[in-house]
Amino acid sequence: MTTATYLKFEVLRTFRNKRAFIFSIGIPIIMYYLLATPNRNSNTFLKQAGIGAPLFYMVGLLSFGGMVAALSTGARIAAERQVGWSRQLRLTPLTPRQYFRTKIVTGYLMVLSSMILLYAAGLTLGVRLSAANWLHMSLLVLVAIAPFAALGIALGHLLTVDSMGPALGGASSLFAFLGGTWFPITGHGAFVEFCKLLPSYWLTAAGRVGLGGSGDPWGTEGWLVIAGWFVVCAVFAMWTYRRDTRRV
């Protein structure tokens, strides 16, 4: 089995799974309309900055939806392990590198789908940004998603199907809360410094480029945190994969 064949199969299988598509991508869209629609005509949702509710919630749910879409790869891997598909793949010429590459690409396609649908939802409620802001925000979000894509693979090889639901729900909710998805994390102190050590904090910061930020919202600290978490999660994913392989 070649990488291209496996990638094509994975993409088709992922997007034909209606349940996974609805829960991974549809829920953030539903949440967006429920939160933003009642306040769509209020131009003083954030009085000091003059930011409307549709833009504010689109930016917040951009990070949450991206995390959920990236981590959902783990649920599919756990299901593959349960039915023996992962065991069958190990009998093919597919290398671990090709396997991980395909899973990462598939996860990113889910993330891109979530972003595009959320952007479209924002446009229907009057969100308007410059082309530069759309591009800047999107690129930074895609970079910040990398640790979560690797973490999803790791959890898929570590947990069972029954435990994946609570684990993914709890992980995405906790990361979103500590990352400032639902409320801004500002000021100083131990809590703020702890939040800055999490990739979700910088993922949310990337999304807030859409609120009018300019330049690099991360700085050296943000890039180091994202890179560090990606390396740790990638190594963790490789360890869980090899551990799972040795059990066969």
Side-chain angles (χ1 to χ4, degrees), residues 6-14 80 85 102-103 106:
Y6 181 49
L7 177 59
K8 179 181 178 180
F9 173 80
E10 279 290 295
V11 171
L12 290 175
R13 188 172 65 90
T14 298
E80 291 172 0
W85 175 241
T102 300
K103 292 299 183 184
T106 306

Side-chain angles (χ1 to χ4, degrees), residues 5-200:
T5 302
Y6 181 49
L7 177 59
K8 179 181 178 180
F9 173 80
E10 279 290 295
V11 171
L12 290 175
R13 188 172 65 90
T14 298
F15 285 90
R16 285 175 178 173
N17 189 334
K18 296 180 181 179
R19 293 181 183 177
F21 192 84
I22 291 174
F23 283 100
S24 300
I25 297 178
I27 295 300
I29 304 299
I30 294 173
M31 290 177 63
Y32 175 70
Y33 278 115
L34 290 176
L35 292 169
T37 302
N39 300 290
R40 63 176 299 185
N41 296 319
S42 175
N43 294 322
T44 57
F45 183 71
L46 295 179
K47 295 181 180 180
Q48 295 180 347
I51 297 171
L55 175 58
F56 179 81
Y57 284 120
M58 185 193 77
V59 168
L61 285 168
L62 180 63
S63 59
F64 178 74
M67 282 190 289
V68 171
L71 290 171
S72 66
T73 301
R76 295 190 294 275
I77 292 175
E80 291 172 0
R81 292 170 56 225
Q82 185 181 52
V83 300
W85 175 241
S86 295
R87 183 181 304 173
Q88 294 297 320
L89 285 177
R90 295 182 193 119
L91 301 178
T92 71
L94 193 71
T95 66
R97 180 177 297 181
Q98 293 171 325
Y99 172 82
F100 280 106
R101 187 183 302 156
T102 300
K103 292 299 183 184
I104 291 289
V105 170
T106 306
Y108 262 95
L109 287 176
M110 290 289 287
V111 173
L112 282 171
S113 300
S114 176
M115 291 173 64
I116 292 171
L117 290 176
L118 192 56
Y119 287 167
L123 290 172
T124 64
L125 295 186
V127 173
R128 298 294 184 270
L129 298 174
S130 66
N133 271 3
W134 282 115
L135 181 61
H136 189 192
M137 177 173 62
S138 300
L139 291 177
L140 282 179
V141 166
L142 290 175
V143 172
I145 283 294
F148 298 100
L151 181 60
I153 296 174
L155 293 178
H157 284 286
L158 184 66
L159 304 177
T160 64
V161 173
D162 293 334
S163 59
M164 278 303 297
L168 294 184
S172 58
S173 298
L174 185 61
F175 272 120
F177 177 79
L178 296 175
T181 296
W182 311 121
F183 59 89
I185 295 177
T186 57
H188 304 281
F191 176 73
V192 175
E193 294 305 316
F194 172 75
C195 291
K196 288 182 178 180
L197 295 175
L198 301 176
S200 54

Side-chain angles (χ1 to χ4, degrees), residues 214-234:
S214 59
D216 185 359
W218 289 353
T220 303
E221 182 182 9
W223 286 99
L224 288 176
V225 170
I226 293 297
W229 269 84
F230 174 69
V231 171
V232 170
C233 290

